[in-house]
Amino acid sequence: EEIKVFCPATIANVSCGFDVLGLALDAVGDVMIVRKTAKKGIKITNIIGQDLPLATEKNVAGVAGLALLEKSDYSGGFEIEIDKRIKPGSGIGSSAASSSGAVWAMNELLGQPFSNLELVQFAMQGEKLASQVAHADNVAPAIYGGFTLVRSYNPLDIVSIPTPDELFATVIHPQIEIKTSDSRKILKTKLTLETGIRQWGNLGGLIAGLFQEDYELIGRSLEDHVVEPIRSILIPGFDDITSGAKQAGALGSGISGSGPSIFALSQGEVTAEKVAEAMHQTYKSIGIDFDIHVSKV
Ligand code: HSE
């Protein structure tokens, strides 16, 4: 018995929601085949597309799967094959796609004994392996779909947020790799009250904008005063890309996850494509290689 699943790429943080907000992309992701086996344990049989470890304990899908098996009374095991289309270190949830895809598929094959919240907890073990911190802002949208808010980590509390119909994302990936673990080390661990006020004003505004389908409010709220001023220095052409996106009609933009990808949100696919064209021209003119995607959220 086997299942083939699409494992979506995700944009974590979405500017003002560091470690709590994330969204899943409809059109960008990996494909994974998971199969039940009589032999206990998890075996990763094949990974195409990227050079990643096959050893179960070194692979995020393996580690997440082991966390699920530990809580399950199933006596057999699973084999996993991954068509890895999301580049590791690109900032669109490469590790989250693998760890959440694996546990989601296993849960289906076992007849859904676990809730989505439990699946997120298993998948977070993969994130811990990848970045040393078990953050949930990529795995939660990968499992629930759409936008999710991690209302609390302890106890884990995840809230699904509705996605307005016309919301599209444009994501550009300059061809450099930034490890999440490295880009977390450079962050400040303390905030001033003034910065906190600006940040939670925007986070509340963004959530309200999503509920009310108020695209202008969504755009106004896409600001990050905590992480972006520090991390954007690592990303070539960041200011040019974001100002060009805005001129091309984007609602707003920011760093995708821990970077280096930059995302923009737009109302409608036509605008999202115009934003892609503007981003394309910016990187072309400064001589940076890139991948670019437009996707429904
Ligand atoms: N919230 C995490 C970070 C996401 O920004 O470090 C990593 O993809």
Side-chain angles (χ1 to χ4, degrees), residues 12-13 18-19 91 93 127 135 137-138 180 183-184 187 231 257-258:
N13 304 335
F18 179 69
D19 271 4
E127 292 296 73
H135 60 89
D137 51 342
N138 291 105
T180 298
S183 70
R184 292 183 79 91
L187 299 178
R231 283 184 173 167
S258 55

Side-chain angles (χ1 to χ4, degrees), residues 11-42:
I11 295 175
N13 304 335
V14 201
S15 294
C16 50
F18 179 69
D19 271 4
V20 298
L21 201 60
L23 64 85
L25 297 174
D26 257 15
V28 189
D30 299 337
V31 175
M32 186 182 275
I33 295 171
V34 180
R35 181 173 312 118
K36 271 178 156 177
T37 56
K39 192 165 180 283
K40 203 162 175 63
I42 310 278

